[in-house]
Amino acid sequence: MRRQFFATFVIMAVLFAAAGVASAQVFGVKGGVNLSTVSYVDIDIATPQKPGIVAGAFVRLHPVKFIDLQIEGLLTQRKWGVGGLEDVGTSITNTVTYVEMPVLLRYPLTTAGSVRIRVHGGAAFSYLLKADEAVNGETFDSKDAYAPWDVALAAGAEVEWKDRWVFDVRYLFGVSRLYHVEAEIPAKARSVQITAGYKFK
């Protein structure tokens, strides 16, 4: 697990460094909270949101003049419960950890002053690192139940303050199956990410 985690972030660091040197653009770091739930197909299961962490870095590129691109490398934790079990004295929490790479197009709504607002949209590609299920406080490894990759559409907005601080709210709409095909559970992930970041010049 540690080797896999380390190798993934070494690859991300190399990609970010290469992109920065090639395009002489801006780097930044960010962190915050991830609020996730699961949408099941034809199954009525409540999955109350639980806060998970999200942290990583971003680089902004301008491959051509009219395109403003942001690429991120994130460690993101999705957590949700299973509702309707309180009456039988059961508590279940799922915790799934991914390396996530959002690729976003950005569009400015305001460009002057100390506060600037942009909207963004694109896709987020995630690779599964770890998955656990806690039942009444006892934790089990559940990684085999999940698909190794996840793809989501992303849309959100950001506020940049004093050309340094960046506050971001984003919705992720999963389009790939959350669970492994053998699990035969038709479900897709939904998440809201709220982050704060710092941009280096």
Side-chain angles (χ1 to χ4, degrees):
M1 171 66 185
R2 290 182 180 178
R3 290 182 180 178
Q4 186 182 49
F5 177 83
F6 180 74
T8 301
F9 270 86
V10 167
I11 292 170
M12 292 300 301
V14 171
L15 290 174
F16 271 62
V21 171
S23 302
Q25 297 300 318
V26 176
F27 286 92
V29 293
K30 63 186 300 186
V33 64
N34 198 46
L35 302 173
S36 299
T37 187
V38 176
S39 176
Y40 291 93
V41 179
D42 299 327
I43 304 175
D44 187 15
I45 301 177
T47 55
Q49 296 174 340
K50 295 180 179 291
I53 62 169
V54 55
F58 62 86
V59 61
R60 293 175 180 172
L61 309 172
H62 293 279
V64 295
K65 185 175 181 180
F66 56 87
I67 293 180
D68 187 356
L69 190 67
Q70 180 162 304
I71 302 173
E72 302 176 0
L74 306 173
L75 180 67
T76 179
Q77 185 184 65
R78 303 177 190 172
K79 298 179 71 174
W80 64 89
V82 178
L85 300 177
E86 296 81 1
D87 294 341
V88 295
T90 301
S91 173
I92 297 178
T93 299
N94 294 282
T95 304
V96 186
T97 305
Y98 292 89
V99 169
E100 185 173 281
M101 185 176 177
V103 179
L104 307 168
L105 288 171
R106 304 166 68 242
Y107 181 80
L109 297 182
T110 62
T111 57
S114 61
V115 177
R116 300 177 183 179
I117 301 173
R118 291 178 175 85
V119 292
H120 56 251
F125 308 93
S126 302
Y127 176 69
L128 177 66
L129 289 180
K130 183 180 179 182
D132 295 315
E133 184 174 64
V135 181
N136 293 337
E138 188 173 357
T139 302
F140 305 91
D141 186 344
S142 58
K143 184 177 179 181
D144 289 344
Y146 292 86
W149 296 94
D150 183 72
V151 180
L153 301 179
E158 68 178 50
V159 176
E160 190 172 296
W161 180 51
K162 293 187 175 180
D163 205 29
R164 289 287 189 177
W165 297 97
V166 182
F167 305 93
D168 185 295
V169 178
R170 181 179 307 165
Y171 182 70
L172 299 176
F173 183 88
V175 295
S176 62
R177 289 177 64 108
L178 176 65
Y179 294 104
H180 197 279
V181 173
E182 294 179 359
E184 296 182 353
I185 303 174
K188 297 179 180 179
R190 307 284 187 261
S191 297
V192 175
Q193 288 182 358
I194 305 170
T195 61
Y198 185 80
K199 186 181 71 173
F200 301 98
K201 287 188 174 181

